[in-house]
Amino acid sequence: ESVDAAILIADIVGFTSRSEKMDPTRVVQELNHYFSYIDPVIEAHDGVLDKRMGDGVMVVFVPRGGESPESVRRRALRCGLALLRTVDLNNPISEARGIAPIEIRVGIAAGPTVQGNIGSDAQIEYTVIGDTVNLGSRLESRAAPGHLMITDALFDAAEAEDLRMTHVTRRESLRIRGRDQAQQTVELQPHFETG
């Protein structure tokens, strides 16, 4: 089924090199701790956790009922910013448990996708595919640690309340492999509450 969706990709910065120095059991414990506080954020924004890729997650936002594409994009954006804030808030809690602080980066793209059950008789699973997924992954890899990178179209769909407590750190025209035209992007960083 074709659907206009928003795709959020989030990844822990430097987790591969960090995990090489740890016992595999410890790696799993740290990942499960991380997922224990980000999964509720995804659920609160009605995101569908499509897959885990090691320390990375791919979250899909599709229209609910008659929801507009702009509303779907705003939900994904609010979720991405909430993930960054949640990691920041949980770092002191993690440190108290002997877990070194982490940073994540987030990329969000929106546009046409195909959703459905993919696979064979051996294994079948729900997922979405399409160029929008690839773009989300590229945006995530280009975001600075602790930042969120989105397309300018997604930024334009945002309302003032969505962007409250954030600031734009970079606007960039990115050449994306497989695309003829450069992609206009906006990088955001949330302000973290102190006190």
Side-chain angles (χ1 to χ4, degrees), residues 25-89:
T25 303
R26 180 67 178 180
V27 173
V28 171
Q29 290 171 343
E30 291 199 6
L31 280 177
N32 284 340
H33 174 66
Y34 166 64
F35 293 137
S36 76
Y37 62 78
I38 68 158
D39 286 7
V41 174
I42 294 165
E43 186 177 348
H45 291 86
D46 286 335
V48 176
L49 181 53
D50 183 282
K51 60 178 61 78
R52 298 188 202 276
M53 306 156 290
D55 59 295
V57 292
M58 176 174 141
V59 183
V60 180
F61 298 83
V62 294
R64 304 169 298 189
E67 187 180 18
S68 70
E70 291 75 23
S71 176
V72 173
R73 288 158 169 72
R74 291 181 61 214
R75 238 180 336 115
L77 174 59
R78 289 193 303 269
C79 182
L81 292 168
L83 287 173
L84 291 167
R85 290 188 180 106
T86 298
V87 167
D88 186 68
L89 286 171

Side-chain angles (χ1 to χ4, degrees), residues 90-179:
N90 275 275
N91 272 333
I93 298 165
S94 301
E95 282 189 277
R97 297 176 65 170
I99 300 172
I102 62 168
E103 285 187 296
I104 64 169
R105 55 178 153 241
V106 179
I108 306 174
T113 64
V114 175
Q115 71 173 349
N117 294 319
I118 309 287
S120 67
D121 290 341
Q123 182 175 350
I124 195 160
E125 60 186 5
Y126 166 84
T127 193
V128 296
I129 57 175
D131 186 54
T132 303
V133 176
N134 297 331
L135 179 57
S137 179
R138 298 274 186 271
L139 294 174
E140 180 274 319
S141 69
R142 296 297 295 263
H147 291 65
L148 169 113
M149 185 168 274
I150 57 177
T151 62
D152 60 343
L154 207 146
F155 182 75
D156 291 344
E159 294 183 357
E161 183 167 326
D162 304 325
L163 301 173
R164 189 177 66 81
M165 299 290 292
T166 67
H167 65 272
V168 174
T169 55
R170 181 170 37 141
R171 287 181 178 268
E172 189 175 9
S173 179
L174 292 182
R175 295 307 261 163
I176 305 291
R177 188 172 67 240
R179 288 186 165 223

